[in-house]
Amino acid sequence: MQSKKPIGIFDSGLGGLTTARELMRVLPNEDIIYFGDTGRVPYGNKSVDTIIKYANQDANFLLKNNVKAIIAACGTVSSIARGLYDTLPVPYTGVLRPTAKSALKATKNGKIGVIGTTATINSHSYQKHIAELSKDAWVFEQDCPLFVPLVENGFTDPEDTVVSEVIRRYVEPLIQKGVDTLILGCTHYPILKNAIAKVMGEGVTLVDSGRATALYTAELLKSKNLLNHSKEEGTYKFFVSDTPHNFEHLAGVFLQKDIEGMVTQIDIEAY
Ligand code: DGL
C-alpha cells in the first residue's frame, strides 16, 4: 500500500523550510505542499487563543489541498496548539518530541539549553517533554524574540555584528549555566545556526528540529502505509498569506532551488 498524496507542512513564515528541506532529503519522492503564514508572522508573541486559531486555519488550508499528513514545522504551534493531535483526520506531528529525543541523545553533562519564541518558552513545552523522557537532565530556557524578525529580513550572516550581538544578549545566561547542548526550539533558528554556533563556542551541540522531525515523519508514514513509492522526484508547491516576493527570494536562497513563480498567495482568513 502507498499514497501519492502530498505531505502538508506549515509554519508562520520561512522557518518551517528548515524542516521541509530535511524532508526533501529524507523522502525525495514525496510531493510537498508548504504554507508560510507570512501575513501574520510572528506567531511567537501572540496569545494562546490566537495561535490556536491560526494553527487550525493553516491545517484546514492543507487539508483542503488533500494532504495525507500534516507537519506543524513550528515550535510555537507544536507547543501551544496541542489539540491538533486529536482533531486532525490525517496523521500529524509537531517538532517537539523528535527534537527533545535528539537533545537527550546529544548531551553528555545533562545540561540542555532551549531557545525559542516567547510563547514556546512560556509554555515550558520542551522542559516538560524532556522531563517525561529522562530524569537526569537539567533544562535552561530562554526566549529570543528578536531572532524571527532577523531571519525574516535576511539578517543571518555570522560575521555581521548586529546578528552576533543580538544572539549574545540572549544566549549568554545559557553559556553561564554550562549547557553542552542547545535546542533550537523555533524552526526559524536553524537559519541562524552558524551565527549561534559561533557565539556558543565549540563544545556545544546545536540540535535543530528539521532532521529529527523529517526522520520521525518518515517512520510515521511508513507505519501507516502512506509512503509514496514512486521513483520520480517529488514536486513542491509553496503558498503564503502575503506577497510572495520576499518569501520567494529568501526561500530560494535557503533551499538552494529556484522557486521563482512557484509561490502563490492565498487568503488564510477564508479557512
Ligand atoms: N518558526 C516558528 C516557531 O518555530 C514561529 C516563529 C514565530 O512566528 O514567532 O516557533
Side-chain angles (χ1 to χ4, degrees):
M1 275 233 312
Q2 64 165 337
S3 167
K4 290 187 184 294
K5 288 182 185 179
I7 300 171
I9 305 185
F10 74 89
D11 178 45
S12 61
L14 285 163
L17 292 173
T18 58
T19 306
R21 184 173 67 174
E22 292 302 329
L23 198 68
M24 290 169 186
R25 287 180 184 153
V26 172
L27 295 173
N29 307 323
E30 295 290 343
D31 296 341
I32 293 176
I33 294 186
Y34 184 92
F35 173 63
D37 197 0
T38 52
R40 306 190 294 194
V41 67
Y43 283 9
N45 58 6
K46 304 276 189 319
S47 68
V48 166
D49 286 350
T50 300
I51 295 166
I52 291 174
K53 175 185 148 191
Y54 287 178
N56 277 300
Q57 288 177 320
D58 301 347
N60 272 340
F61 166 71
L62 293 172
L63 288 173
K64 288 270 158 29
N65 280 278
N66 209 16
V67 296
K68 63 182 170 187
I70 291 181
I71 305 174
C74 174
T76 307
V77 168
S78 311
S79 300
I80 306 296
R82 312 281 303 148
L84 285 177
Y85 278 103
D86 305 319
T87 50
L88 289 179
V90 296
Y92 165 79
T93 182
V95 292
L96 280 182
R97 187 162 282 264
T99 314
K101 275 190 180 164
S102 285
L104 279 168
K105 250 194 217 156
T107 186
K108 295 202 170 60
N109 70 5
K111 294 184 182 175
I112 299 173
V114 181
I115 54 176
T117 64
T118 302
T120 296
I121 296 304
N122 285 348
S123 75
H124 303 295
S125 53
Y126 279 98
Q127 195 175 48
K128 288 178 198 158
H129 263 77
I130 290 170
E132 272 170 29
L133 296 168
S134 166
K135 299 275 163 276
D136 303 318
W138 294 270
V139 176
F140 304 95
E141 302 171 299
Q142 176 66 52
D143 64 338
C144 308
L146 289 179
F147 283 14
V148 171
L150 279 181
V151 169
E152 291 283 327
N153 290 287
F155 281 77
T156 58
D157 181 358
E159 303 306 326
D160 183 337
T161 49
V162 171
V163 174
S164 54
E165 274 316 304
V166 171
I167 293 173
R168 184 169 305 283
R169 189 72 74 90
Y170 287 123
V171 300
E172 192 61 43
L174 301 177
I175 296 174
Q176 298 303 329
K177 296 284 183 203
V179 302
D180 74 349
T181 302
L182 181 66
I183 293 180
L184 308 182
C186 165
T187 52
H188 278 69
Y189 298 178
I191 300 177
L192 287 171
K193 196 170 185 176
N194 292 341
I196 296 170
K198 194 166 167 225
V199 176
M200 291 305 290
E202 274 173 29
V204 177
T205 306
L206 304 192
V207 177
D208 91 53
S209 48
R211 181 122 192 117
T213 305
L215 292 171
Y216 176 78
T217 304
E219 284 305 311
L220 183 65
L221 293 180
K222 192 171 165 211
S223 70
K224 311 247 179 232
N225 286 324
L226 288 175
L227 283 170
N228 184 346
H229 297 303
S230 152
K231 295 270 176 293
E232 280 161 36
E233 216 174 276
T235 59
Y236 309 128
K237 286 187 190 153
F238 301 89
F239 295 87
V240 289
S241 52
D242 198 359
T243 165
H245 184 71
N246 195 33
F247 181 90
E248 219 160 46
H249 172 66
L250 290 171
V253 173
F254 179 69
L255 292 173
Q256 292 170 323
K257 282 185 201 301
D258 182 9
I259 61 163
E260 231 37 53
M262 286 165 65
V263 185
T264 308
Q265 182 171 354
I266 58 139
D267 174 14
I268 192 63
E269 289 293 352
Y271 292 88

